[in-house]
Amino acid sequence: MSIKRYIATADNTITNAFKSDLDNRATGSNAGAADAVEVFSIYGQATTGSAEASRALIQFDISKISTDRVAGLIPSAGSVSFYLKMFNMEHIETTPKNFVLAIQAVSQSWEEGNGLDLDSRTDLTYNNIGSNWIKRSGNNSWAAQGGDFHAAPVFTATFDKGTEDLEVNVTSLVEQWIAGTKSNYGFGIFLSGSYESGTESYYTKKFFARSSEFFFKRPVLEARFSDDIQDDRGDFYSSS
């Protein structure tokens, strides 16, 4: 089995979480240069029934994969699998258990941004460079707050302990990107269904981002394929 890794070229965390005053939301905040991305949902913190969420965006340069395929470094479609891998980041806050993350294709372009603050969320885009919960870039808004995503395909990852790494086979989507039948705007990663919209909080799951100082913990898209060279010994037979 051979493995070729492609490191992410952009990532960000977007959120509608309340600021520390529990009055104003940090929808304009950006964390594109932070060393982590985080996903969470918080229910009933500000008021009875209030809901907050955080989502991760991550993108890879699919043109590099196409170039490698033309050069014969990875096989054609059907002979290679692509896995999205993101590595758990330990932290001092509560890590949720027993939840499911959804991974879907982002359907519009977005900017990474230069924000660093994942705690107080003080790095705001002010309609300049970077994406956030409302804007995907500059003055360009998402069609739906929280990001725009294709309805299919949908991939899921289950976390029992909460500290697991993410590893999902996303071959069908990557092949669409390579073929050009779907534009590559990367992945959106967020709590699935009622895990995000329900009445239980899941705060907070963190992954190392592409800006992490730990090179081998940065998110990757892994191409996995067999390059075994086999002989024809099975085709020989004895003859009088």
Side-chain angles (χ1 to χ4, degrees), residues 9-229:
T9 54
D11 58 24
N12 188 23
T13 297
I14 59 175
T15 183
N16 68 348
F18 283 99
K19 297 180 180 181
S20 58
D21 58 12
L22 295 183
D23 187 28
N24 298 300
R25 291 183 183 262
T27 52
S29 65
N30 174 273
D35 61 356
V37 294
E38 66 176 348
V39 176
F40 63 72
S41 67
I42 307 174
Y43 181 79
Q45 176 179 230
T47 62
T48 302
S50 66
E52 305 162 66
S54 178
R55 296 172 171 179
L57 306 176
I58 184 165
Q59 190 169 18
F60 297 85
D61 186 355
I62 299 301
S63 66
K64 289 186 177 180
I65 300 177
S66 299
T67 299
D68 285 349
R69 175 168 281 175
V70 172
L73 298 178
I74 62 170
S76 57
S79 298
V80 58
S81 297
F82 295 97
Y83 284 79
L84 173 63
K85 294 190 68 175
M86 300 179 71
F87 300 92
N88 178 65
M89 174 183 276
E90 294 184 6
H91 53 85
I92 62 174
E93 300 166 19
T94 302
T95 300
K97 298 180 180 180
N98 302 314
F99 62 91
V100 178
L101 292 184
I103 300 94
Q104 294 177 230
V106 183
S107 60
Q108 293 204 75
S109 62
W110 52 277
E111 290 179 337
E112 181 177 47
N114 305 311
L116 290 167
D117 186 3
L118 276 172
D119 297 318
S120 301
R121 304 180 182 89
T122 55
D123 295 328
L124 306 179
T125 64
Y126 295 110
N127 294 336
N128 293 320
I129 296 173
S131 52
N132 56 49
W133 189 261
I134 297 174
K135 305 288 186 179
R136 58 187 179 87
S137 62
N139 280 314
N140 300 307
S141 299
W142 298 107
Q145 292 188 10
D148 303 325
F149 309 98
H150 288 286
V154 178
F155 310 99
T156 58
T158 301
F159 296 80
D160 296 325
K161 296 183 293 183
T163 56
E164 299 93 338
D165 298 332
L166 183 148
E167 184 172 325
V168 180
N169 187 330
V170 292
T171 304
S172 59
L173 176 56
V174 174
E175 290 294 356
Q176 289 180 51
W177 285 339
I178 294 172
T181 56
K182 188 178 262 110
S183 297
N184 169 33
Y185 300 128
F187 301 98
I189 301 154
F190 42 87
L191 285 156
S192 176
S194 61
Y195 293 100
E196 184 180 82
S197 61
T199 57
E200 184 174 349
S201 296
Y202 295 88
Y203 182 82
T204 175
K205 174 63 173 177
K206 290 188 177 184
F207 297 101
F208 287 95
R210 79 180 193 96
S211 301
S212 171
E213 63 180 306
F214 302 104
F215 181 82
F216 292 106
K217 294 290 187 179
R218 296 173 184 175
V220 294
L221 193 58
E222 245 183 27
R224 302 179 185 177
F225 53 95
S226 174
D227 58 356
D228 295 341
I229 300 176

